[in-house]
Amino acid sequence: MSQKLPINIRDLLRQRTVEGERIEYKAGWNPDAVIRTLCAFANDFENLGGGYVVIGQDCDADGRPVFPPVGLPDKQLDKIQRELLAHCQLIQPPYFPVLSLEVVEGRKLIVLQAPGGQTRPYKAPEAVTAGKKTWRYYIRRYSSTVEAKGDTERELLSLAAKVPFDDRFNQFACVDDLSQPLMQGFLEEVGSSLAADAPGLSVEALGRQMNVAGGPTESPWPKHVGLLFFNEMPERFFPGVQIDVVWFPEGAGGDRFDEKIFKGPLARMTREALGYIQRNYLHETVIKHPDRAEATRVWNFPYAAIEEAVVNAVYHRSYEEREPIEVRISHDELVVVSFPGPDRSIRMEDLKAGRAVSRRYRNRRIGEFLKELEMTEGRSTGIPKILKEMAANGSPAPLFETDDERLSFVIRLPRHPLALLPVVGTGEVTGEVTGEVTGEVERLLRAVVGEMSRQEIQTALGLKGADHFRKAYLNPALAMQVIEMTLPDKPRSSKQRYRLTAVGRQWLKA
């Protein structure tokens, strides 16, 4: 149960790094008083970042610590920890502080670090040892723990909205788990003015400004959304954060399948998975007509619909569950599976008709970042766009499925009935590379995954000089038509992105 204290114990006891109103000294083990104080710190009514309870340390009438500490006998340490664990479960909802065993001037202390809770308000029994318990709300008033009454109680209850999972602190990680280069790259990509100041800021300061870190000054924590977007291996903290792309050449019931797993920061993982699907499993069929010059062009699965389905899964899945997002591809359909299902406020009949509007968002902060990266529009537009893109391609209508318990969500995209069945990996592409593929152009082709900005491609190539990158890499590739701009009518747009053309994809396969 014991962990290391994140700050110096002597500085804490002498109130050098933490204000006195955030520290409660207890000469001995008094479970009733300790649980009430833990409840008050958890409620964090003044948003100070919680506080500390030091057991085994006495104080004077002014609340200043008295040295040497009283200390706790060795035989009491295990007993106090067992009772504390049991009593903390009586707090509603259950709340558990971080416990540390410390030795000061040869005396043993128990220090409880109690950060502001993520599911406030909390209430605790007036007396945890009483047979008939009465629960009360407690808050801190200056350096005292008091019961919240009247207007104060009503104000505390107004804080009852549960903090979404992605906006909660991860108390098992530290701010150094946030990657400053990833945060810097994000700011540059979205054109934030903070990008210019970012190199001069510490990881903690930058994380606080981007609201992906917070907590008390002496013990800051990253938020879940920060670890998901700005850590190279978010699966360390959230098992199951990955996208599995599975190809069934003989259909879902066949014995053969190929699987590729994508991990990493949320935005990069999503783009890499989409780029892989686009390069390997999307096929355009050209149908010529004898009575007119214009040919009919159809895709087996329209990319824009797949993009919406996958990004929708990344946005709305639960990161508390260990199930990955799965994209299952066969000749007949492309299926995106995520967990759990849509919110119960959404009726399935509205979902199928493209009229669904969620009243509650599971991952608001993730949605904000995806919107900044222009990977989603938010506002419940994903499903209508899938319907629109499938109709524009002439494909059968997509199917949306869930179960009665809303445990999973399935989006099925049927293949266009006129699309030919490609042999994956050997499909022919009309057109050829014009000009010599230099070593620089080849490197660029192998670096482009999905749609990438100029800065992202340059960073992937490890190049610093923008002029050299444009002259030797980007411009020759555009001229040879092996890559293309996503906004050809706005070549100088700051939102411009680049992707491989069919010719470029075919050259890589060859």
Side-chain angles (χ1 to χ4, degrees):
M1 187 175 177
S2 177
Q3 298 183 25
K4 291 184 178 180
L5 199 66
I7 62 175
N8 182 278
I9 181 61
R10 295 184 183 276
D11 290 342
L12 172 67
L13 294 181
R14 297 182 184 276
Q15 303 176 12
R16 292 171 181 159
T17 54
V18 179
E19 302 83 356
E21 63 191 277
R22 295 181 55 215
I23 305 175
E24 182 86 4
Y25 302 103
K26 301 292 184 185
W29 170 232
N30 182 341
D32 293 336
V34 168
I35 293 301
R36 289 195 295 266
T37 298
L38 288 177
C39 176
F41 282 139
N43 280 323
D44 196 18
F45 187 67
E46 302 292 344
N47 287 320
L48 298 177
Y52 297 81
V53 178
V54 185
I55 306 173
Q57 173 69 60
D58 203 357
C59 64
D60 59 23
D62 295 324
R64 305 293 299 181
V66 176
F67 295 97
V70 177
L72 297 170
D74 288 343
K75 62 181 180 180
Q76 284 192 13
L77 297 177
D78 287 341
K79 176 178 179 290
I80 292 174
Q81 292 184 69
R82 288 195 304 270
E83 292 183 3
L84 181 68
L85 181 62
H87 296 330
C88 283
Q89 296 185 55
L90 296 175
I91 299 175
Q92 296 179 358
Y95 174 87
F96 300 93
V98 178
L99 184 147
S100 176
L101 296 176
E102 303 290 337
V103 179
V104 177
E105 298 185 21
R107 312 293 173 89
K108 294 184 178 179
L109 310 176
I110 290 179
V111 181
L112 305 177
Q113 182 188 5
Q118 297 288 302
T119 52
R120 61 186 179 183
Y122 295 85
K123 55 185 178 181
E126 286 182 320
V128 295
T129 54
K132 184 177 180 180
K133 298 177 176 59
T134 303
W135 275 262
R136 307 289 186 191
Y137 294 104
Y138 294 96
I139 61 171
R140 293 289 285 183
R141 282 293 189 201
Y142 305 109
S143 58
S144 301
T145 295
V146 299
E147 182 184 347
K149 297 180 179 180
D151 291 341
T152 302
E153 180 180 359
R154 284 188 287 273
E155 186 176 351
L156 176 63
L157 292 174
S158 71
L159 304 174
K162 182 179 179 181
V163 178
F165 179 78
D166 60 341
D167 205 28
R168 299 180 200 172
F169 296 126
N170 189 311
Q171 298 177 9
F172 297 98
C174 61
V175 289
D176 288 337
D177 288 315
L178 298 175
S179 166
Q180 190 156 12
L182 288 177
M183 290 191 286
Q184 173 90 32
F186 170 85
L187 294 171
E188 291 176 351
E189 181 176 350
V190 302
S192 170
S193 58
L194 182 59
D197 300 331
L201 298 175
S202 66
V203 173
E204 178 188 345
L206 183 58
R208 286 183 183 273
Q209 287 214 39
M210 295 178 66
N211 196 19
V212 295
T217 304
E218 78 281 0
S219 178
W221 291 293
K223 292 188 175 183
H224 291 155
V225 68
L227 295 171
L228 286 166
F229 277 91
F230 307 122
N231 182 279
E232 290 289 349
M233 299 177 63
E235 65 274 11
R236 288 169 46 208
F237 307 99
F238 315 100
V241 176
Q242 63 189 58
I243 299 176
D244 298 349
V245 179
V246 189
W247 161 245
F248 297 92
E250 301 171 353
D255 296 328
R256 293 174 50 215
F257 67 89
D258 296 325
E259 181 181 56
K260 188 170 180 62
I261 298 174
F262 295 87
K263 297 182 179 182
L266 223 55
R268 182 202 298 169
M269 173 188 74
T270 305
R271 286 171 174 162
E272 289 180 351
L274 287 169
Y276 176 78
I277 294 169
Q278 185 181 35
R279 290 194 302 271
N280 291 279
Y281 302 110
L282 301 194
H283 176 77
E284 185 180 39
T285 300
V286 180
I287 304 171
K288 295 183 178 181
H289 304 282
D291 57 340
R292 63 179 188 269
E294 298 83 5
T296 299
R297 296 175 176 272
V298 298
W299 289 89
N300 53 346
F301 310 107
Y303 175 76
I306 299 170
E307 183 179 34
E308 283 297 327
V310 172
V311 172
N312 181 81
V314 171
Y315 183 176
H316 296 293
R317 66 156 289 178
S318 168
Y319 290 91
E320 296 179 84
E321 297 194 18
R322 292 173 175 252
E323 297 293 338
I325 295 169
E326 189 170 339
V327 182
R328 302 166 64 87
I329 309 171
S330 66
H331 288 300
D332 296 324
E333 65 178 0
L334 185 148
V335 181
V336 180
V337 185
S338 59
F339 302 86
D343 188 83
R344 291 185 180 276
S345 65
I346 299 175
R347 298 191 305 168
M348 283 306 297
E349 50 266 36
D350 291 336
L351 190 68
K352 294 175 182 178
R355 298 191 302 266
V357 177
S358 178
R359 296 193 296 271
R360 295 187 292 268
Y361 288 89
R362 186 172 287 126
N363 300 305
R364 292 178 181 175
R365 295 298 310 285
I366 289 175
E368 290 175 10
F369 280 104
L370 292 175
K371 189 173 182 180
E372 285 287 331
L373 294 168
E374 296 188 345
M375 296 177 71
T376 184
E377 296 179 10
R379 305 296 182 186
S380 300
T381 59
I383 298 302
K385 187 172 181 180
I386 294 173
L387 291 165
K388 177 183 175 182
E389 294 296 337
M390 291 292 282
N393 189 59
S395 301
L399 302 175
F400 306 103
E401 302 172 2
T402 188
D403 51 78
D404 292 339
E405 299 299 321
R406 301 290 176 104
L407 298 178
S408 65
F409 186 42
V410 179
I411 300 178
R412 295 184 184 273
L413 307 181
R415 175 179 63 88
H416 193 292
L418 298 181
L420 299 177
L421 300 180
V423 179
V424 175
T426 61
E428 296 183 0
V429 176
T430 302
E432 59 182 18
V433 175
T434 58
E436 178 186 357
V437 177
T438 62
E440 289 84 356
V441 172
E442 180 178 352
R443 283 188 62 205
L444 183 145
L445 290 178
R446 298 191 185 282
V448 175
V449 177
E451 296 182 2
M452 300 175 67
S453 67
R454 179 194 59 76
Q455 183 62 48
E456 286 176 327
I457 301 174
Q458 189 174 325
T459 301
L461 292 170
L463 300 175
K464 295 184 178 180
D467 290 341
H468 173 65
F469 168 70
R470 287 192 181 93
K471 292 178 181 178
Y473 291 81
L474 186 61
N475 291 342
L478 287 169
M480 296 165 62
Q481 298 183 1
V482 290
I483 67 169
E484 61 186 359
M485 294 183 286
T486 60
L487 300 173
D489 56 333
K490 300 179 181 178
R492 297 184 182 277
S493 170
S494 62
K495 302 297 184 181
Q496 186 63 259
R497 305 183 71 80
Y498 301 86
R499 62 190 176 198
L500 297 179
T501 63
V503 174
R505 296 195 300 271
Q506 183 63 19
W507 188 90
L508 281 178
K509 293 178 181 178

